[in-house]
Amino acid sequence: MTNHHSETERASLYNSAQSVESQIEALRTGSVPVSVYGLGKMGLPLAAMYAKTTGNVLGADIDSAVVEELNEGHCHVKGEPELPELVAELVSNGALSATTDPLEAAEYGTVHVVIVPTPITAEHEPDLSILDAVTDDIGSGLETGDIVIIECTVPPRTTAERVRPALESASGLSIGEFGLAVCPERTSSGRALRDIRGAYPKVVGGIDAESARVTELVYGELTDADVLRVSDATTAEAVKVFEGLYRDVNIALANELATMAEELGIDVLEAIEVANTQPYCDIHRPGPGVGGHCIPFYPYFVIAPFETPTPLLETARAVNDSMPGFVVEKLGAEFEAEGMALSDASILLLGLTYRPGVEEIRASPSLAIAEQLSAQNALVYGVDPMLESVAEFDLQRLSLPEIEERAFDAVVVVTPHEEFESIQWDELERSSGQLFVLDGRDALDAPAITDAGHRLYTIGVGGDRGV
């Protein structure tokens, strides 16, 4: 890697005898080499911000295409404002490069930042195999004075009880000779650089006091926000997991209330909005399900590894996982009222990613909705301007212009991308009867739908609002 700083400039921050000012100077001038493990949707923005701050970052990723693109100055992550330009600049000036060999990165850095995924198994247990492999690689190259920072979200106690002994075993060193801390990412797709720069305080917790001090110093230079030092690494892990648990439980409450809209005879969304004017109330918005790489998975970081019963978390997961089925049941009931079978229906899904403006499909409600509709032999189509491929979905892809050339029995808005605002609803047709529009996100202009002669059902509101 020709753009790396020379080994003679290498400096450490952990147990350094230098003054704090000298340590910050070393960090900012590239004398402290940084290795970032994982260059995905969260890892590449983080590596870029480290490189912008320190001028000396080597990223590691096992995906050779990702590494090749990065070393050519290209950004493989889509939908992140400013990131492509920043990556091109950093690679051009030698501040950022990448390797497919994590051992090379382990031998290179004195600050090691881990931001790899923690998937969930089919049995709903956290799969820490990727973290384990990276930990072993880092341990093989770990030297006295290095510090390892875990940014990825993991079950509480992972760093203390899994990462620490693995590093000590692989390196032959002990805590006190190297540092270990947790600084969980608090970043959302589509706004990663903004979040890292300082949208929220950074949270740090160390295995020992020196690890916490060094991590606080590093992130004090990386972000404009406050850096909050908590008691230990496990507390820092718990902070990130608890954030996700809160949102999952809150959304489950909103979803359960939304399913009661017709029986209650009210607009539940209106009731939620007004209830939230009370400062102790903050009910989230309902929808057709919960997707992404965070909220649907983090509850299992607490449910699976620990013996304490977690009935609330498990119930919330069940409620949120049921919402795609709620959508399918609503479609079936509407067609049945017309004397039509779901198996004879042609249904268009608008928005396949889990959130507007991002290309992430992990746990997207559209996956389950398409699968369940297809299982009942409905003809399912999908439109999503963010995706190059819809191979993971059980449906036929259409472009946005093509939807005016076909007739559908129902349209379901799952994820309201900005591009859908251009849809001319009076141009959409049904072969017979009224088109049924199910708005899963309260994103549509109700009069525009009903004025076009279509029937409208909005989750949390009920049917035919605006007529």
Side-chain angles (χ1 to χ4, degrees):
M1 296 295 183
T2 57
N3 56 348
H4 292 172
H5 290 245
S6 68
E7 289 296 321
T8 58
E9 299 174 350
R10 181 183 177 93
S12 299
L13 301 175
Y14 185 83
N15 279 339
S16 171
Q18 291 183 310
S19 66
V20 170
E21 292 76 14
S22 297
Q23 291 176 49
I24 292 173
E25 177 71 12
L27 179 68
R28 283 199 163 271
T29 57
S31 295
V32 178
V34 178
S35 293
V36 177
Y37 304 82
L39 297 174
K41 297 177 187 297
M42 300 293 106
L44 182 57
L46 180 65
M49 287 304 297
Y50 259 101
K52 184 177 180 180
T53 303
T54 71
N56 189 7
V57 170
L58 177 61
D61 199 288
I62 60 172
D63 189 329
S64 59
V66 167
V67 169
E68 183 177 350
E69 273 197 79
L70 179 59
N71 285 331
E72 292 176 353
H74 303 308
C75 172
H76 73 281
V77 177
K78 296 181 179 179
E80 288 294 348
E82 303 178 39
L83 185 59
E85 298 82 2
L86 180 59
V87 166
E89 175 189 342
L90 293 168
V91 172
S92 176
N93 65 27
L96 175 64
S97 61
T99 178
T100 56
D101 183 1
L103 287 173
E104 180 185 359
E107 293 171 353
Y108 182 78
T110 61
V111 174
H112 306 268
V113 185
V114 182
I115 184 163
V116 296
T118 306
I120 297 294
T121 68
E123 292 75 30
H124 291 141
E125 295 180 352
D127 180 358
L128 295 165
S129 59
I130 301 174
L131 177 63
D132 289 342
V134 170
T135 300
D136 288 342
D137 289 331
I138 294 173
S140 297
L142 203 64
E143 296 183 10
T144 299
D146 286 4
I147 184 165
V148 180
I149 302 171
I150 306 299
E151 269 246 9
C152 44
T153 309
V154 294
R157 292 169 40 180
T158 296
T159 301
E161 298 182 2
R162 193 176 188 119
V163 176
R164 174 181 178 171
L167 288 173
E168 291 181 331
S169 175
S171 68
L173 302 174
S174 300
I175 291 295
E177 296 175 283
F178 72 91
L180 176 61
V182 173
C183 181
E185 58 90 1
R186 307 178 91 185
T187 312
S188 297
S189 296
R191 46 176 291 165
L193 292 180
R194 173 186 169 189
D195 287 348
I196 297 168
R197 284 191 185 112
Y200 317 109
K202 294 297 291 183
V203 177
V204 303
I207 289 293
D208 62 354
E210 177 64 2
S211 297
R213 182 199 69 80
V214 171
T215 307
E216 185 175 13
L217 180 148
V218 169
Y219 282 90
E221 299 305 305
L222 205 68
T223 179
D224 296 328
D226 293 337
V227 179
L228 308 179
R229 189 196 298 194
V230 296
S231 300
D232 51 35
T234 300
T235 302
E237 292 167 333
V239 167
K240 176 60 188 293
V241 173
F242 287 4
E243 292 170 9
L245 302 186
Y246 166 78
R247 295 175 66 190
D248 198 45
V249 171
N250 196 317
I251 294 169
L253 169 62
N255 281 335
E256 189 160 284
L257 294 176
T259 64
M260 301 177 67
E262 289 173 297
E263 187 174 1
L264 288 170
I266 65 169
D267 180 341
V268 168
L269 300 185
E270 178 189 9
I272 288 174
E273 182 178 356
V274 176
N276 286 346
T277 62
Q278 209 277 354
Y280 301 108
C281 188
D282 183 25
I283 305 173
H284 289 0
R285 302 283 289 184
V290 177
H293 58 274
C294 299
I295 300 177
F297 300 99
Y298 292 170
Y300 298 112
F301 289 10
V302 174
I303 294 171
F306 301 97
E307 295 181 0
T308 304
T310 53
L312 177 63
L313 301 182
E314 294 169 52
T315 300
R317 277 285 77 233
V319 169
N320 290 334
D321 283 344
S322 75
M323 291 308 291
F326 175 80
V327 170
V328 173
E329 289 175 8
K330 179 57 62 177
L331 291 169
E334 289 293 323
F335 293 139
E336 184 178 359
E338 296 180 13
M340 178 182 180
L342 192 58
S343 59
D344 296 325
S346 172
I347 301 168
L348 173 66
L349 304 186
L350 292 177
L352 305 179
T353 63
Y354 88 95
R355 191 160 63 82
V358 301
E359 62 174 340
E360 174 70 59
I361 66 169
R362 193 174 182 194
S364 173
S366 290
L367 289 162
I369 293 171
E371 180 182 11
Q372 293 179 34
L373 287 172
S374 294
Q376 297 195 46
N377 297 315
L379 185 57
V380 188
Y381 297 93
V383 175
D384 197 296
M386 295 300 300
L387 298 177
E388 294 182 0
S389 170
V390 297
E392 297 88 345
F393 295 86
D394 196 354
L395 51 73
Q396 298 180 41
R397 182 175 194 168
L398 295 177
S399 67
L400 193 53
E402 286 179 311
I403 69 173
E404 295 181 5
E405 302 170 4
R406 296 176 180 261
F408 306 99
D409 297 300
V411 177
V412 180
V413 178
V414 183
T415 302
H417 293 301
E418 183 179 345
E419 289 83 351
F420 298 153
E421 295 175 7
S422 66
I423 293 175
Q424 300 298 311
W425 289 95
D426 55 0
E427 297 294 326
L428 297 189
E429 298 181 356
R430 181 173 177 179
S431 54
S432 63
Q434 289 179 294
L435 180 68
F436 179 58
V437 180
L438 193 155
D439 183 357
R441 301 290 184 182
D442 190 32
L444 299 178
D445 178 4
I449 307 301
T450 55
D451 288 351
H454 308 316
R455 289 179 296 131
L456 173 65
Y457 179 91
T458 301
I459 291 180
V461 176
D464 294 335
R465 183 178 64 164
V467 175

